[in-house]
PDB file of all heavy atoms in Angstrom:
ATOM      1  N   TYR A   1     -17.277  10.200   4.558  1.00 76.00           N
ATOM      2  CA  TYR A   1     -16.993   9.137   5.577  1.00 76.00           C
ATOM      3  C   TYR A   1     -15.949   8.247   4.933  1.00 76.00           C
ATOM      4  O   TYR A   1     -15.800   8.272   3.614  1.00 76.00           O
ATOM      5  CB  TYR A   1     -18.159   8.363   6.115  1.00 76.00           C
ATOM      6  CG  TYR A   1     -18.949   7.646   4.928  1.00 76.00           C
ATOM      7  CD1 TYR A   1     -18.516   6.325   4.575  1.00 76.00           C
ATOM      8  CD2 TYR A   1     -20.002   8.188   4.250  1.00 76.00           C
ATOM      9  CE1 TYR A   1     -19.213   5.708   3.577  1.00 76.00           C
ATOM     10  CE2 TYR A   1     -20.648   7.494   3.209  1.00 76.00           C
ATOM     11  CZ  TYR A   1     -20.217   6.386   2.916  1.00 76.00           C
ATOM     12  OH  TYR A   1     -20.974   5.591   1.847  1.00 76.00           O
ATOM     13  N   GLY A   2     -15.384   7.367   5.654  1.00 78.00           N
ATOM     14  CA  GLY A   2     -14.573   6.247   5.122  1.00 78.00           C
ATOM     15  C   GLY A   2     -13.115   6.537   4.930  1.00 78.00           C
ATOM     16  O   GLY A   2     -12.313   5.859   4.340  1.00 78.00           O
ATOM     17  N   LEU A   3     -12.635   7.777   5.389  1.00 83.00           N
ATOM     18  CA  LEU A   3     -11.336   8.169   5.147  1.00 83.00           C
ATOM     19  C   LEU A   3     -10.192   7.393   5.820  1.00 83.00           C
ATOM     20  O   LEU A   3      -9.172   7.226   5.374  1.00 83.00           O
ATOM     21  CB  LEU A   3     -11.151   9.660   5.509  1.00 83.00           C
ATOM     22  CG  LEU A   3     -10.018  10.458   4.944  1.00 83.00           C
ATOM     23  CD1 LEU A   3      -9.902  10.400   3.486  1.00 83.00           C
ATOM     24  CD2 LEU A   3      -9.867  11.887   5.518  1.00 83.00           C
ATOM     25  N   ALA A   4     -10.566   6.867   7.016  1.00 85.00           N
ATOM     26  CA  ALA A   4      -9.703   6.075   7.803  1.00 85.00           C
ATOM     27  C   ALA A   4      -9.161   4.793   7.161  1.00 85.00           C
ATOM     28  O   ALA A   4      -8.051   4.351   7.576  1.00 85.00           O
ATOM     29  CB  ALA A   4     -10.306   5.691   9.121  1.00 85.00           C
ATOM     30  N   GLY A   5      -9.805   4.412   5.989  1.00 89.00           N
ATOM     31  CA  GLY A   5      -9.368   3.313   5.336  1.00 89.00           C
ATOM     32  C   GLY A   5      -7.943   3.371   4.773  1.00 89.00           C
ATOM     33  O   GLY A   5      -7.198   2.327   4.377  1.00 89.00           O
ATOM     34  N   ILE A   6      -7.435   4.569   4.539  1.00 90.00           N
ATOM     35  CA  ILE A   6      -6.167   4.656   3.887  1.00 90.00           C
ATOM     36  C   ILE A   6      -5.116   4.232   4.867  1.00 90.00           C
ATOM     37  O   ILE A   6      -4.066   3.842   4.319  1.00 90.00           O
ATOM     38  CB  ILE A   6      -5.931   6.220   3.485  1.00 90.00           C
ATOM     39  CG1 ILE A   6      -5.806   7.114   4.747  1.00 90.00           C
ATOM     40  CG2 ILE A   6      -6.970   6.674   2.567  1.00 90.00           C
ATOM     41  CD1 ILE A   6      -5.451   8.420   4.325  1.00 90.00           C
ATOM     42  N   TRP A   7      -5.298   4.117   6.120  1.00 92.00           N
ATOM     43  CA  TRP A   7      -4.310   3.547   7.108  1.00 92.00           C
ATOM     44  C   TRP A   7      -4.039   2.157   6.789  1.00 92.00           C
ATOM     45  O   TRP A   7      -2.965   1.613   7.048  1.00 92.00           O
ATOM     46  CB  TRP A   7      -4.853   3.700   8.488  1.00 92.00           C
ATOM     47  CG  TRP A   7      -4.729   5.075   8.981  1.00 92.00           C
ATOM     48  CD1 TRP A   7      -5.539   6.042   9.096  1.00 92.00           C
ATOM     49  CD2 TRP A   7      -3.479   5.748   9.552  1.00 92.00           C
ATOM     50  NE1 TRP A   7      -5.046   7.212   9.645  1.00 92.00           N
ATOM     51  CE2 TRP A   7      -3.736   7.036   9.908  1.00 92.00           C
ATOM     52  CE3 TRP A   7      -2.133   5.351   9.736  1.00 92.00           C
ATOM     53  CZ2 TRP A   7      -2.778   7.964  10.470  1.00 92.00           C
ATOM     54  CZ3 TRP A   7      -1.181   6.142  10.218  1.00 92.00           C
ATOM     55  CH2 TRP A   7      -1.621   7.492  10.578  1.00 92.00           C
ATOM     56  N   LEU A   8      -4.962   1.367   6.154  1.00 92.00           N
ATOM     57  CA  LEU A   8      -4.892   0.002   5.842  1.00 92.00           C
ATOM     58  C   LEU A   8      -4.410  -0.162   4.411  1.00 92.00           C
ATOM     59  O   LEU A   8      -3.458  -0.934   4.008  1.00 92.00           O
ATOM     60  CB  LEU A   8      -6.249  -0.700   6.094  1.00 92.00           C
ATOM     61  CG  LEU A   8      -6.198  -2.263   5.545  1.00 92.00           C
ATOM     62  CD1 LEU A   8      -5.051  -3.019   6.408  1.00 92.00           C
ATOM     63  CD2 LEU A   8      -7.635  -2.832   5.835  1.00 92.00           C
ATOM     64  N   VAL A   9      -5.164   0.576   3.492  1.00 93.00           N
ATOM     65  CA  VAL A   9      -4.906   0.421   2.046  1.00 93.00           C
ATOM     66  C   VAL A   9      -3.373   0.873   1.649  1.00 93.00           C
ATOM     67  O   VAL A   9      -2.726   0.026   0.939  1.00 93.00           O
ATOM     68  CB  VAL A   9      -5.904   1.401   1.273  1.00 93.00           C
ATOM     69  CG1 VAL A   9      -5.474   1.535  -0.182  1.00 93.00           C
ATOM     70  CG2 VAL A   9      -7.201   0.736   1.385  1.00 93.00           C
ATOM     71  N   ILE A  10      -2.785   1.816   2.153  1.00 93.00           N
ATOM     72  CA  ILE A  10      -1.638   2.348   1.548  1.00 93.00           C
ATOM     73  C   ILE A  10      -0.494   1.398   2.002  1.00 93.00           C
ATOM     74  O   ILE A  10       0.324   0.815   1.198  1.00 93.00           O
ATOM     75  CB  ILE A  10      -1.265   3.634   2.058  1.00 93.00           C
ATOM     76  CG1 ILE A  10      -2.200   4.735   1.351  1.00 93.00           C
ATOM     77  CG2 ILE A  10       0.173   4.076   1.710  1.00 93.00           C
ATOM     78  CD1 ILE A  10      -1.973   6.161   1.826  1.00 93.00           C
ATOM     79  N   PRO A  11      -0.310   1.024   3.295  1.00 95.00           N
ATOM     80  CA  PRO A  11       0.712   0.102   3.774  1.00 95.00           C
ATOM     81  C   PRO A  11       0.522  -1.316   3.113  1.00 95.00           C
ATOM     82  O   PRO A  11       1.562  -1.844   2.570  1.00 95.00           O
ATOM     83  CB  PRO A  11       0.516  -0.098   5.248  1.00 95.00           C
ATOM     84  CG  PRO A  11      -0.180   1.183   5.579  1.00 95.00           C
ATOM     85  CD  PRO A  11      -1.116   1.403   4.540  1.00 95.00           C
ATOM     86  N   VAL A  12      -0.722  -1.898   2.988  1.00 96.00           N
ATOM     87  CA  VAL A  12      -0.817  -3.220   2.295  1.00 96.00           C
ATOM     88  C   VAL A  12      -0.436  -3.228   0.901  1.00 96.00           C
ATOM     89  O   VAL A  12       0.385  -4.120   0.545  1.00 96.00           O
ATOM     90  CB  VAL A  12      -2.354  -3.721   2.526  1.00 96.00           C
ATOM     91  CG1 VAL A  12      -2.557  -4.901   1.643  1.00 96.00           C
ATOM     92  CG2 VAL A  12      -2.672  -3.922   3.972  1.00 96.00           C
ATOM     93  N   PHE A  13      -0.825  -2.250   0.122  1.00 96.00           N
ATOM     94  CA  PHE A  13      -0.488  -2.378  -1.288  1.00 96.00           C
ATOM     95  C   PHE A  13       0.849  -1.867  -1.538  1.00 96.00           C
ATOM     96  O   PHE A  13       1.467  -2.558  -2.585  1.00 96.00           O
ATOM     97  CB  PHE A  13      -1.464  -1.510  -2.083  1.00 96.00           C
ATOM     98  CG  PHE A  13      -2.834  -2.171  -2.204  1.00 96.00           C
ATOM     99  CD1 PHE A  13      -3.957  -1.808  -1.601  1.00 96.00           C
ATOM    100  CD2 PHE A  13      -2.906  -3.366  -2.936  1.00 96.00           C
ATOM    101  CE1 PHE A  13      -5.204  -2.342  -1.730  1.00 96.00           C
ATOM    102  CE2 PHE A  13      -4.191  -4.063  -3.022  1.00 96.00           C
ATOM    103  CZ  PHE A  13      -5.318  -3.519  -2.475  1.00 96.00           C
ATOM    104  N   VAL A  14       1.500  -1.127  -0.786  1.00 96.00           N
ATOM    105  CA  VAL A  14       2.987  -0.836  -0.995  1.00 96.00           C
ATOM    106  C   VAL A  14       3.771  -2.035  -0.651  1.00 96.00           C
ATOM    107  O   VAL A  14       4.749  -2.444  -1.507  1.00 96.00           O
ATOM    108  CB  VAL A  14       3.357   0.338  -0.046  1.00 96.00           C
ATOM    109  CG1 VAL A  14       4.923   0.495  -0.048  1.00 96.00           C
ATOM    110  CG2 VAL A  14       2.773   1.663  -0.489  1.00 96.00           C
ATOM    111  N   VAL A  15       3.419  -2.644   0.452  1.00 95.00           N
ATOM    112  CA  VAL A  15       4.142  -3.997   0.717  1.00 95.00           C
ATOM    113  C   VAL A  15       4.064  -4.946  -0.349  1.00 95.00           C
ATOM    114  O   VAL A  15       5.079  -5.615  -0.810  1.00 95.00           O
ATOM    115  CB  VAL A  15       3.737  -4.492   2.105  1.00 95.00           C
ATOM    116  CG1 VAL A  15       4.285  -5.841   2.336  1.00 95.00           C
ATOM    117  CG2 VAL A  15       4.196  -3.597   3.278  1.00 95.00           C
ATOM    118  N   LEU A  16       2.644  -5.170  -0.772  1.00 96.00           N
ATOM    119  CA  LEU A  16       2.519  -6.217  -1.837  1.00 96.00           C
ATOM    120  C   LEU A  16       3.259  -5.875  -3.052  1.00 96.00           C
ATOM    121  O   LEU A  16       3.880  -6.815  -3.705  1.00 96.00           O
ATOM    122  CB  LEU A  16       0.998  -6.394  -2.076  1.00 96.00           C
ATOM    123  CG  LEU A  16       0.267  -7.195  -0.980  1.00 96.00           C
ATOM    124  CD1 LEU A  16      -1.199  -7.001  -1.267  1.00 96.00           C
ATOM    125  CD2 LEU A  16       0.655  -8.619  -0.781  1.00 96.00           C
ATOM    126  N   ALA A  17       3.198  -4.641  -3.427  1.00 96.00           N
ATOM    127  CA  ALA A  17       3.883  -4.190  -4.670  1.00 96.00           C
ATOM    128  C   ALA A  17       5.362  -4.289  -4.565  1.00 96.00           C
ATOM    129  O   ALA A  17       5.940  -4.834  -5.527  1.00 96.00           O
ATOM    130  CB  ALA A  17       3.355  -2.818  -5.117  1.00 96.00           C
ATOM    131  N   ALA A  18       5.963  -3.880  -3.493  1.00 94.00           N
ATOM    132  CA  ALA A  18       7.371  -3.833  -3.435  1.00 94.00           C
ATOM    133  C   ALA A  18       7.933  -5.278  -3.302  1.00 94.00           C
ATOM    134  O   ALA A  18       9.055  -5.526  -3.745  1.00 94.00           O
ATOM    135  CB  ALA A  18       7.750  -3.012  -2.198  1.00 94.00           C
ATOM    136  N   PHE A  19       7.223  -6.116  -2.531  1.00 93.00           N
ATOM    137  CA  PHE A  19       7.590  -7.499  -2.378  1.00 93.00           C
ATOM    138  C   PHE A  19       7.291  -8.372  -3.667  1.00 93.00           C
ATOM    139  O   PHE A  19       7.629  -9.558  -3.756  1.00 93.00           O
ATOM    140  CB  PHE A  19       7.135  -8.135  -1.156  1.00 93.00           C
ATOM    141  CG  PHE A  19       7.969  -7.739   0.043  1.00 93.00           C
ATOM    142  CD1 PHE A  19       7.506  -6.511   0.732  1.00 93.00           C
ATOM    143  CD2 PHE A  19       8.927  -8.431   0.503  1.00 93.00           C
ATOM    144  CE1 PHE A  19       8.247  -6.188   1.904  1.00 93.00           C
ATOM    145  CE2 PHE A  19       9.710  -8.086   1.636  1.00 93.00           C
ATOM    146  CZ  PHE A  19       9.350  -6.938   2.242  1.00 93.00           C
ATOM    147  N   SER A  20       6.704  -7.761  -4.689  1.00 93.00           N
ATOM    148  CA  SER A  20       6.577  -8.369  -5.977  1.00 93.00           C
ATOM    149  C   SER A  20       7.704  -8.076  -6.790  1.00 93.00           C
ATOM    150  O   SER A  20       8.372  -8.989  -7.424  1.00 93.00           O
ATOM    151  CB  SER A  20       5.286  -7.992  -6.602  1.00 93.00           C
ATOM    152  OG  SER A  20       4.069  -8.426  -5.913  1.00 93.00           O
ATOM    153  N   LYS A  21       8.108  -6.759  -6.915  1.00 93.00           N
ATOM    154  CA  LYS A  21       9.323  -6.232  -7.535  1.00 93.00           C
ATOM    155  C   LYS A  21       9.510  -4.886  -6.888  1.00 93.00           C
ATOM    156  O   LYS A  21       8.649  -4.109  -6.680  1.00 93.00           O
ATOM    157  CB  LYS A  21       9.147  -6.199  -8.910  1.00 93.00           C
ATOM    158  CG  LYS A  21      10.407  -5.840  -9.746  1.00 93.00           C
ATOM    159  CD  LYS A  21      10.238  -5.871 -11.181  1.00 93.00           C
ATOM    160  CE  LYS A  21      11.609  -5.713 -11.926  1.00 93.00           C
ATOM    161  NZ  LYS A  21      11.431  -5.749 -13.399  1.00 93.00           N
ATOM    162  N   GLU A  22      10.708  -4.635  -6.666  1.00 90.00           N
ATOM    163  CA  GLU A  22      11.082  -3.353  -5.815  1.00 90.00           C
ATOM    164  C   GLU A  22      10.538  -2.099  -6.401  1.00 90.00           C
ATOM    165  O   GLU A  22      10.371  -1.140  -5.719  1.00 90.00           O
ATOM    166  CB  GLU A  22      12.634  -3.260  -5.683  1.00 90.00           C
ATOM    167  CG  GLU A  22      13.316  -4.459  -4.867  1.00 90.00           C
ATOM    168  CD  GLU A  22      13.310  -5.790  -5.443  1.00 90.00           C
ATOM    169  OE1 GLU A  22      13.089  -5.893  -6.554  1.00 90.00           O
ATOM    170  OE2 GLU A  22      13.616  -6.633  -4.772  1.00 90.00           O
ATOM    171  N   ASN A  23      10.403  -2.007  -7.717  1.00 91.00           N
ATOM    172  CA  ASN A  23       9.853  -0.679  -8.203  1.00 91.00           C
ATOM    173  C   ASN A  23       8.455  -0.473  -7.691  1.00 91.00           C
ATOM    174  O   ASN A  23       7.815   0.508  -8.041  1.00 91.00           O
ATOM    175  CB  ASN A  23       9.934  -0.580  -9.769  1.00 91.00           C
ATOM    176  CG  ASN A  23       9.182  -1.731 -10.380  1.00 91.00           C
ATOM    177  OD1 ASN A  23       8.506  -2.624  -9.814  1.00 91.00           O
ATOM    178  ND2 ASN A  23       9.223  -1.780 -11.761  1.00 91.00           N
ATOM    179  N   GLY A  24       7.771  -1.429  -7.066  1.00 93.00           N
ATOM    180  CA  GLY A  24       6.455  -1.254  -6.422  1.00 93.00           C
ATOM    181  C   GLY A  24       6.394  -0.039  -5.456  1.00 93.00           C
ATOM    182  O   GLY A  24       5.293   0.439  -5.143  1.00 93.00           O
ATOM    183  N   VAL A  25       7.633   0.363  -4.982  1.00 94.00           N
ATOM    184  CA  VAL A  25       7.566   1.555  -3.985  1.00 94.00           C
ATOM    185  C   VAL A  25       7.138   2.829  -4.679  1.00 94.00           C
ATOM    186  O   VAL A  25       6.931   3.824  -4.052  1.00 94.00           O
ATOM    187  CB  VAL A  25       8.916   1.771  -3.332  1.00 94.00           C
ATOM    188  CG1 VAL A  25       9.373   0.415  -2.481  1.00 94.00           C
ATOM    189  CG2 VAL A  25      10.046   1.990  -4.332  1.00 94.00           C
ATOM    190  N   LEU A  26       7.064   2.794  -6.080  1.00 94.00           N
ATOM    191  CA  LEU A  26       6.602   3.990  -6.785  1.00 94.00           C
ATOM    192  C   LEU A  26       5.183   4.239  -6.606  1.00 94.00           C
ATOM    193  O   LEU A  26       4.672   5.358  -6.929  1.00 94.00           O
ATOM    194  CB  LEU A  26       6.843   3.729  -8.364  1.00 94.00           C
ATOM    195  CG  LEU A  26       8.425   3.712  -8.792  1.00 94.00           C
ATOM    196  CD1 LEU A  26       8.413   3.306 -10.298  1.00 94.00           C
ATOM    197  CD2 LEU A  26       8.991   4.979  -8.495  1.00 94.00           C
TER     198      LEU A  26
END
């Protein structure tokens, strides 16, 4: 169970990382 959480986790942390510094898209 719990697999649906990736729909929230991936976009949130990609945005936070990239808007901290662009190499966060890695």
